[in-house]
């Protein structure tokens, strides 16, 4: 068995390279199961792919799956989105943390394992990747300063909701300005007194050329930011008070435009809860 799996190599690999706990990178993947395939897709993802296609891989150390039922989909804006057409597309999203400095190591494994899964008929084809990208961590802004969970806890802490915000800019230089405005001014103000405990900010990275063909190349590598708002309450309870109109504030800053504001709630692993509420 040692010869077959090259077990001796693991001891060598463990002795070198970064092994901190910071989420230096993320995989954020928003997917739409094709009509009539909702239950089968959900069972495949939760029973097999979440583990074999993600969590079992080296350096991917935390994950959480989220769902947008139809009422949550209808809260999304803007109506004309560069991310999702229609804006309600992509009822499931899964977020994963990858150890800082281990992106290249993880990518070599994930491309290879997904080719193997595909070859072994363990990839569910009746789905569309609406917004799937590996992303590099840029910033985390906390509502309560040093108190409370850190960003590396975010996918294990029982948050009640997630809001995904995607902002596009016109240039890499403008994105740098946007990031500073978000980090220093906008996010601290919006988080104060809100049900959101933290916001993590990521920028997309290009997928390797040998990625699986059903995943399209990442757009906006130099001009896009992805924000994950982690909520302590159901997003339906705070949407109007805290999340409507954020596109206007970004537009008024002159630094970018919101292309997606989308609320989700966590799935209940091992169940088909919410599947009947997607359409």
């Amino acid at each position: 068995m040692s010869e077959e799996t090259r077990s001796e190599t693991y001891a060598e690999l463990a002795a070198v390279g970064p092994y901190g706990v910071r989420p230096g990178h993320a995989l954020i993947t928003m997917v739409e199961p094709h009509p009539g395939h909702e239950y089968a897709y959900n069972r495949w993802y939760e029973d097999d792919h979440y583990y074999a296609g993600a969590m079992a891989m080296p350096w991917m150390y935390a994950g959480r799956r989220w769902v947008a039922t139809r009422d949550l989909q209808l809260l999304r804006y803007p109506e004309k989105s560069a991310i999702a057409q229609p804006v309600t597309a992509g009822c499931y999203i899964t977020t994963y943390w990858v150890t800082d400095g281990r992106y290249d190591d993880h990518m070599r494994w994930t491309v290879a394992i997904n080719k193997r899964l595909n070859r072994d008929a363990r990839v569910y084809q009746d789905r569309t990747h609406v917004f799937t990208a590996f992303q590099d961590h840029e910033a985390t802004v906390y509502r309560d300063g040093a108190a409370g969970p850190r960003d590396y806890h975010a996918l294990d802490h029982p948050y009640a909701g997630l809001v995904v915000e995607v902002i596009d800019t016109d240039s890499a230089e403008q994105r740098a300005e946007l990031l500073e405005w978000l980090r220093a001014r906008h996010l601290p103000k919006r988080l104060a007194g809100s049900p959101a405990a933290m916001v993590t900010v990521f920028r997309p990275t290009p997928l390797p050329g040998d990625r699986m063909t059903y995943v399209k190349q990442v757009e906006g590598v130099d001009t896009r930011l992805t924000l994950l708002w982690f909520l302590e309450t159901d997003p339906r309870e705070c949407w109007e008070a805290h999340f409507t109109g954020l596109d206007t504030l970004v537009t008024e800053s002159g630094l970018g435009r919101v292309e997606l504001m989308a609320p989700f709630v966590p799935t209940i692993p091992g169940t088909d809860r919410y599947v009947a509420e997607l359409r």
Side-chain angles (χ1 to χ4, degrees):
M1 181 62 70
S2 176
E3 181 181 350
E4 181 183 333
T5 62
R6 304 184 191 177
S7 296
E8 68 284 349
T9 308
Y10 286 82
E12 298 174 21
L13 294 174
V16 296
Y19 68 122
V21 300
R22 297 289 178 182
H25 322 275
L27 170 59
I28 302 170
T29 174
M30 188 166 76
V31 173
E32 180 76 7
H34 295 171
H37 292 265
E38 295 85 357
Y39 281 93
Y41 168 77
N42 188 57
R43 290 274 44 85
W44 165 76
Y45 200 96
E46 294 210 335
D47 295 346
D48 188 16
H49 198 63
Y50 177 84
Y51 301 104
M55 291 300 295
M57 297 191 209
W59 307 113
M60 181 169 272
Y61 68 89
R64 174 158 282 188
R65 192 164 180 245
W66 315 80
V67 60
T69 52
R70 188 61 183 171
D71 58 336
L72 288 167
Q73 295 167 32
L74 294 175
L75 295 176
R76 294 180 182 181
Y77 65 87
E79 183 179 356
K80 292 184 178 180
S81 167
I83 307 300
Q85 299 89 30
V87 72
T88 52
C91 54
Y92 284 107
I93 196 165
T94 313
T95 50
Y96 300 99
W97 291 165
V98 177
T99 301
D100 192 19
R102 289 294 191 171
Y103 174 76
D104 291 342
D105 298 332
H106 175 76
M107 283 305 299
R108 294 189 72 171
W109 189 286
T110 193
V111 168
I113 204 72
N114 275 287
K115 286 182 178 179
R116 182 181 180 186
L117 289 167
N118 199 55
R119 185 175 65 243
D120 293 344
R122 285 175 62 183
V123 173
Y124 198 87
Q125 302 294 347
D126 290 295
R127 56 174 175 151
T128 298
H129 280 269
V130 177
F131 178 64
T132 291
F134 280 89
Q135 314 222 10
D136 286 344
H137 180 257
E138 285 283 11
T140 301
V141 181
Y142 296 100
R143 181 191 60 200
D144 303 325
R150 304 289 87 191
D151 50 14
Y152 43 85
H153 301 125
L155 304 185
D156 295 306
H157 187 79
Y159 285 114
L162 175 76
V163 174
V164 179
E165 178 179 6
V166 181
I167 306 176
D168 280 352
T169 64
D170 293 328
S171 67
E173 293 76 19
Q174 190 179 55
R175 183 175 70 177
E177 294 181 52
L178 171 67
L179 176 62
E180 185 55 32
W181 176 76
L182 289 170
R183 181 164 39 198
R185 296 174 56 192
H186 178 67
L187 293 179
K189 184 177 181 180
R190 300 303 303 183
L191 283 169
S194 84
M198 73 176 84
V199 181
T200 59
V201 184
F202 292 89
R203 58 178 173 86
T205 58
L207 286 168
D210 56 353
R211 71 191 184 280
M212 299 309 296
T213 55
Y214 51 77
V215 181
K216 65 181 180 180
Q217 186 53 274
V218 175
E219 300 170 346
V221 168
D222 297 317
T223 55
R224 178 170 287 172
L225 291 175
T226 305
L227 286 65
L228 303 179
W229 300 69
F230 290 92
L231 310 185
E232 295 175 330
T233 61
D234 188 305
R236 284 165 283 220
E237 298 173 10
C238 60
W239 189 253
E240 187 171 349
H242 293 282
F243 290 100
T244 57
L246 291 192
D247 54 340
T248 301
L249 295 176
V250 172
T251 300
E252 289 174 349
S253 76
L255 298 174
R257 59 196 174 276
V258 171
E259 291 291 355
L260 182 68
M261 289 291 300
F264 296 85
V265 294
T267 62
I268 302 174
T271 76
D272 288 322
R273 181 77 176 91
Y274 303 118
V275 176
E277 302 172 48
L278 299 178
R279 307 302 183 196

